[in-house]
Every structure is written in C-alpha cells, then in structure tokens.
Amino acid sequence: MEEELEAERQSRAKAERQRAELSREYDELTDRLDESCVATAAQIELNKKRETEILKMRKDLEETNIQHESTLLSLRKKHQDAITEMSEQCDQLNKMKVKIEKDKLAVRMQLDDTEAATDHVSHERAVADKNLKALQGQLQ
C-alpha cells in the first residue's frame, strides 16, 4: 500500500508538473496570440491609412487629369482660333494684293496711254513747228 501511495504521489507530482508546463505553454501561447492580435490590428490600421492615402492620391490625380484636359482643350481652341484669324488675314491680304495688282495694271495702262498721247502731241507739235518755220521762211 505504501508503494501504491508513493506511486500515486509520484503520478500526482508528475501530473502537476505536466499541468504547470501546459499552463506555462498556454500562457506563452496566449501572450503570443495577444501580441499577434495587436500586430494584426496595427497592420490593419496601417493598411486603412494607406488605402485612404491611395484613394486621396487617385482623386487628386483624376482632378489633375481633368484640369489638364480642360487646359488642353482651351489651348487647342485658342490655337484653332488663331489659325482661323491668320487664315482670314492672309485671305484679306491676298485680296488686297490682287486689287493692288489690278490697280497697278490700270495705272500702267493709263501711263502708257498718256505717254503715247504725249509722244503723239510732241510729234504733232514738232510737225507744226516745222510747218511754222517753213511758212515763216516763205514769208520772209
């Protein structure tokens, strides 16, 4: 009976040691789980902040793109308006050039007619002067 009692004490002592060891392991695992939960919560919070920043950046990028597209459209319109205005000015200048060339030709023709008339009058005058001298020579 003493042997059984001693065996039972040893078994109880062994069971107590195992229970203490398991309790210690349980506490360690609980601590590690708590640390892991804290780390996971911190990581989740960090991920939420990053997602918020990414969404803000995407929104800013979209707004910037819209603003750039608006600016680009405005510049294209100004460019097209400037080209249209310059084309109209070129057309006007070409019309003026044609009119000036036409007027120049008319003036040149008038000048040629006037020169021809002047030459004719000079020739007629020379003939008249010659006839006058001839008549004056006959009178004397």
Side-chain angles (χ1 to χ4, degrees):
M1 189 135 131
E2 288 265 338
E3 288 178 9
E4 284 182 21
L5 192 58
E6 187 59 33
E8 191 174 321
R9 279 188 198 150
Q10 285 179 356
S11 292
R12 280 188 183 201
K14 185 177 180 182
E16 275 299 315
R17 281 192 307 264
Q18 287 178 342
R19 189 179 75 69
E21 180 66 26
L22 287 173
S23 178
R24 186 184 57 78
E25 283 182 29
Y26 175 78
D27 289 343
E28 284 178 8
L29 288 174
T30 302
D31 289 344
R32 284 177 46 196
L33 180 62
D34 288 344
E35 289 173 7
S36 176
C37 285
V38 168
T40 302
Q43 189 65 39
I44 289 171
E45 190 64 32
L46 184 63
N47 286 346
K48 284 181 183 178
K49 286 180 182 178
R50 285 185 180 160
E51 277 186 42
T52 303
E53 288 177 12
I54 288 172
L55 288 175
K56 184 182 180 295
M57 286 179 175
R58 282 185 181 159
K59 182 181 175 186
D60 290 346
L61 180 62
E62 188 174 322
E63 288 175 3
T64 302
N65 283 340
I66 290 170
Q67 191 175 27
H68 283 252
E69 287 175 10
S70 174
T71 302
L72 182 62
L73 287 175
S74 174
L75 289 174
R76 281 185 180 162
K77 184 180 182 322
K78 285 181 182 178
H79 180 256
Q80 188 60 42
D81 291 347
I83 288 175
T84 302
E85 184 180 338
M86 286 183 179
S87 294
E88 289 173 0
Q89 287 178 358
C90 285
D91 290 344
Q92 290 297 324
L93 289 173
N94 284 332
K95 287 177 184 177
M96 288 173 64
K97 181 180 176 185
V98 167
K99 184 179 182 291
I100 288 171
E101 288 294 326
K102 202 171 164 183
D103 291 346
K104 181 179 168 185
L105 183 62
V107 168
R108 175 70 62 186
M109 289 175 70
Q110 285 178 351
L111 182 62
D112 288 345
D113 288 347
T114 304
E115 284 178 352
T118 303
D119 288 346
H120 179 68
V121 168
S122 293
H123 177 67
E124 290 296 320
R125 183 175 178 190
V127 169
D129 283 345
K130 182 179 173 186
N131 288 337
L132 179 66
K133 282 185 182 180
L135 286 174
Q136 280 178 347
Q138 286 178 351
L139 283 176
Q140 287 181 357

